[in-house]
């Protein structure tokens, strides 16, 4: 099976990048399943039903979220109904939505789990323990993909090594910068520290540089705006063996327009 | 001029990586100057005179540091004498050592500046303002290289964009994971969010995985140990034009042994 | 001289507390000068010209601020003109407003300095170094009062001990809970870790409890609202000797209505 | 019933304070039960069996802990055997020790629960949810006391208001500065934001001022030492009704020697 995981889609520019590049990626890599982190897809902050549907239309099959899950209140209206969007599992249990989902794709049982780190993030439970408590319920899946949304490289990698062999892949999100370390760990779990950014090329984390630079210079509050102009998609490809569902390859993907 | 910037060297394994790979890199890329971040070079925590001299012997010309600068007290004995080692400029002014240094290489005036981020780092001044205050003093350098040692991708990139055109390169360090975003910004400054790790391949940030995994599982205090086995060097190459000192190229470099 | 320092005034309820209690406090304690922390006086977030003027009308002579300084954009319109309102000195130098002010009261030269802590606060310079650099300029003041706006008790106390003997008083603000430790340090500087909250009694930090409790239960974003009902003023009284300006007394003050 | 809760005991000076003052407090206030936070009782960092036994000998009946629980490895040897010492309940479940304990005192069933905040503390689960999950098991206790060990005033108060009416008292610890806000909330739960410090008077948080001041001035690593000289005990008294176990009074207590 060929799975694409797309890094945080930021605003209109990010959606344009998906529209521009995804169709070809689906064809070129014979993709069976496309996941994306959608926490910044609506104006940089959160997601709306309209934006989600626009992106489903471009070929995205599933969304994970992160610390920006609740930024746009529209999500409260549809998260409990949308079977293709999850939020971090280790958010408080009484939060709307779910933290994992099992999907059937050509008779392969695929489970996606969304987790968020605890380092520099407040109000969330242990991602490791929350995951291990869930594990017996999803263990019989053919493929398990984890979006681990976190700031600290060490926390991402420690989690991935802690579940090495239990899951198909741990894909890091949140920093909006793709890392150069896609690899398969000793027990077979595929890993990348951060899959990157889908949005404006001339940007800082997808937002217009000017306001971020201004903030660096004076620490005053600013209203960030989504970047414009050329766009890029950053993602990673995970290829699994159709016989035994083991990972055959994980590879960074990056496409710019000119 | 061909400059190599080597990512955080972690412990004995990191020094072995330098010994294993640097000689060939110097030859292959006709390197004129080799800088490395040395904050973890002695047992993972800080640097000692002995370790610095071992690494100078392998071909490193200059060291920058970071949040681990003072972890090994040996540094207090030699930092004020060693002209080839600097610590973050935006540490308190009364700290030992210096935050920048100008070196003459084949009649090219090269200045190295070391800065540390403020996000998730305490007790340090504004890197931007500290740098801009220094700038008039170093402005006439042919080449200015900045090691920006920080956690948050946004802070690194915002600083680099804020000084785009004023310096030759801003090289990020600290996360121990190489990013896939080496680029030249609109005004000509070369940039990479993080140059990566020089140390054990089978490790988490250069340290043995078992203790980091244990910590993930139980949050109890652990004593980290430097990783062993296969080693890698992660770095980036900056090529400048010998006529006008503009950047011609910035490129990630990564070498493993088998 | 009798000086009153009033803890963070939170919203309409806080202003009502000032209106209710200050006139009597001025009379009862023969106050010569009344300072208040105003960072939450407009709806809980920042300050406006209108709110400042209302509070000057109740007898407040001077305002200090904190991390909420810029929350209400109205401040940008008047901070450079208002000689009675300062913001933290260790904000970036290019920020609007000033970090200290000298006032003449009955031929006594009184200087107020506003500082903010670095622990858990980002984008600010060292309060100690920024203060020591200013010190020669204000040293000849008869009385020096510092509002140290910070989260961590240790940082507040360490600063105060570091400047013990150089200033009349270091008054902590920001936690909105009055501490029970008003004291005079060995070299004569008066100190309290936090002077407290001026606002609604039935509140959490001045805001309605329901939203704060909801946040504790589900970590979802909430819009805080200023508390209502009974109000209190929390402050401290600093009495200085009219001959030599040394501190004679520092005392917590707390008044509720019924 | 008369219960005394003693604030964080810091090192030898703190133990001397307990020895000096506790016997009289027990007599004067007819104390039935004495709890103390012991996380700093051994040299400022953690607790040992020897230190715990010394303090039991002075009249302490029970210990709670906090972020320094594991600082001294001696605790691993006895925490699972000692029925009078608990650590935060919302530490990972696989940690040694327990997070709550029920004790029978004169046929009154008293439960002590230890929680730790999530704000600025990493690797811990939600204190609210962990507590609410435990609640059915302890609900039939006559008295429930919670030590909420946390930095942020808002988190402490929000938790206490969230469980107002469910527990007898929520006592804040960790900041080592007593607050001036002991009160009974609308539904009957007694509360204080921080009960304070038991240790050296001439200290910063119980440690010698010189090293803390040095750290403020230069941000270099220092080895803190327990303060010496005069000592104080800070605590609070909770009086419950022997008929219905409701809180009759909560009162700050503070004693210095001269
Ligand atoms: Fe994101
Ligand atoms: Fe995020
Ligand atoms: Fe490092
Ligand atoms: Fe570092
Ligand atoms: Fe405030
Ligand atoms: Fe504040
Ligand atoms: Fe403590
Ligand atoms: Fe603590």
């Amino acid at each position: 099976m060929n799975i694409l995981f797309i890094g945080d889609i930021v605003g209109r520019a990010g959606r344009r990048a998906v529209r521009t590049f995804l169709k070809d990626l689906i064809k070129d890599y014979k993709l069976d399943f496309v996941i994306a982190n959608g926490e910044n897809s609506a104006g940089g902050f959160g997601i709306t039903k309209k934006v989600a549907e626009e992106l489903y239309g471009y070929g995205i099959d599933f969304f994970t979220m992160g610390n920006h899950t609740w930024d746009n209140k529209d999500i409260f209206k549809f998260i409990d109904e949308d079977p293709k969007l999850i939020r971090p599992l280790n958010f408080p249990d009484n939060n709307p939505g779910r933290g994992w989902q099992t999907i059937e794709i050509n008779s392969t049982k695929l489970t996606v789990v969304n987790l968020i780190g605890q380092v520099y993030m407040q109000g969330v439970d242990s991602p490791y323990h929350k995951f291990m408590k869930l594990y017996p319920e999803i263990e019989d899946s053919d493929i398990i993909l984890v979006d681990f949304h976190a700031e600290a490289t060490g926390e991402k990698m420690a989690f991935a090594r802690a579940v090495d062999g239990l899951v198909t892949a741990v894909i890091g999100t949140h920093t909006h910068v793709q890392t150069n370390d896609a690899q398969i760990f000793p027990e077979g779990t595929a890993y990348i520290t951060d899959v990157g950014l889908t949005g404006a090329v001339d940007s800082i984390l997808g937002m217009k540089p000017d306001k971020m630079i201004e903030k660096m210079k004076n620490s005053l509050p600013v209203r960030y705006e989504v970047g414009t102009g050329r766009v890029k998609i950053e993602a990673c490809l995970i290829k699994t063996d159709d016989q035994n569902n083991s990972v055959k390859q994980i590879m960074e993907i990056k496409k710019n327009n000119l």
Side-chain angles (χ1 to χ4, degrees), chain A:
Chain A
M1 186 173 284
N2 299 326
I3 300 160
L4 191 75
F5 193 109
I6 298 175
D8 301 33
I9 298 169
V10 179
R12 181 183 297 266
R15 303 197 305 270
R16 185 155 47 90
V18 176
R19 196 184 64 208
T20 308
F21 301 114
L22 185 55
K23 200 169 288 183
D24 284 352
L25 287 170
I26 290 173
K27 211 170 52 189
D28 295 354
Y29 294 104
K30 299 185 185 15
L31 299 178
D32 300 291
F33 190 62
V34 178
I35 322 181
N37 187 296
E39 69 154 5
N40 309 108
S41 56
F45 298 93
I47 194 167
T48 63
K49 191 171 172 55
K50 206 177 145 216
V51 155
E53 276 169 4
E54 176 187 347
L55 289 163
Y56 292 140
Y58 300 154
I60 288 176
D61 296 306
F62 201 86
F63 281 112
T64 52
M65 299 292 286
N67 54 311
H68 289 289
T69 301
W70 314 116
D71 285 5
N72 191 308
K73 290 197 192 315
D74 198 59
I75 197 171
F76 293 108
K77 296 190 208 144
F78 74 99
I79 191 169
D80 282 323
E81 275 72 49
D82 189 333
K84 303 197 279 185
L85 185 155
I86 57 176
R87 46 78 181 163
L89 175 72
N90 53 329
F91 275 179
D93 287 332
N94 59 2
N95 276 197
R98 291 133 297 119
W100 62 281
Q101 185 73 39
T102 300
I103 305 124
E104 190 101 6
I105 304 164
N106 319 330
S107 76
T108 298
K109 217 170 146 184
L110 183 152
T111 296
V112 186
V113 182
N114 195 178
L115 293 169
I116 190 164
Q118 285 191 305
V119 179
Y120 314 128
M121 305 269 190
Q122 290 172 355
V124 301
D125 289 324
S126 159
Y128 175 76
H129 290 282
K130 214 69 179 275
F131 177 79
M132 290 310 291
K133 215 169 145 185
L134 166 66
Y135 191 65
E137 220 169 320
I138 62 172
E139 199 174 359
D140 67 340
S141 301
D142 299 308
I143 291 176
I144 300 175
L145 300 173
V146 178
D147 173 355
F148 197 92
H149 193 83
E151 178 77 30
T153 52
E155 188 181 22
K156 285 164 157 173
M157 218 178 288
F159 175 82
R161 292 296 297 256
V163 301
D164 183 14
L166 301 183
V167 308
T168 309
V170 175
I171 306 301
T173 57
H174 176 69
T175 71
H176 293 206
V177 175
Q178 191 176 76
T179 55
N180 202 3
D181 68 337
Q183 62 193 285
I184 300 174
F185 281 143
E187 304 301 323
T189 294
Y191 173 76
I192 185 169
T193 296
D194 209 289
V195 67
L197 163 72
T198 297
V201 169
D202 179 25
S203 76
I204 297 178
L205 315 186
M207 306 310 269
K208 281 190 184 159
D210 56 348
K211 295 296 176 66
M212 305 278 281
I213 293 170
E214 198 188 308
K215 177 94 183 173
M216 163 64 56
K217 291 183 180 177
N218 61 25
S219 294
L220 295 173
V222 295
R223 181 183 292 270
Y224 298 115
E225 285 162 34
V226 170
T228 54
R230 291 175 53 215
V231 294
K232 65 174 174 178
I233 192 169
E234 292 182 349
C236 78
L237 178 73
I238 303 143
K239 289 176 95 76
T240 58
D241 185 302
D242 287 336
Q243 306 299 308
N244 62 15
N245 296 306
S246 68
V247 178
K248 294 197 297 187
Q249 194 190 0
I250 176 166
M251 182 175 89
E252 295 102 357
I253 284 181
K254 207 161 87 169
K255 291 220 173 294
N256 289 1
N257 57 12
L258 298 179

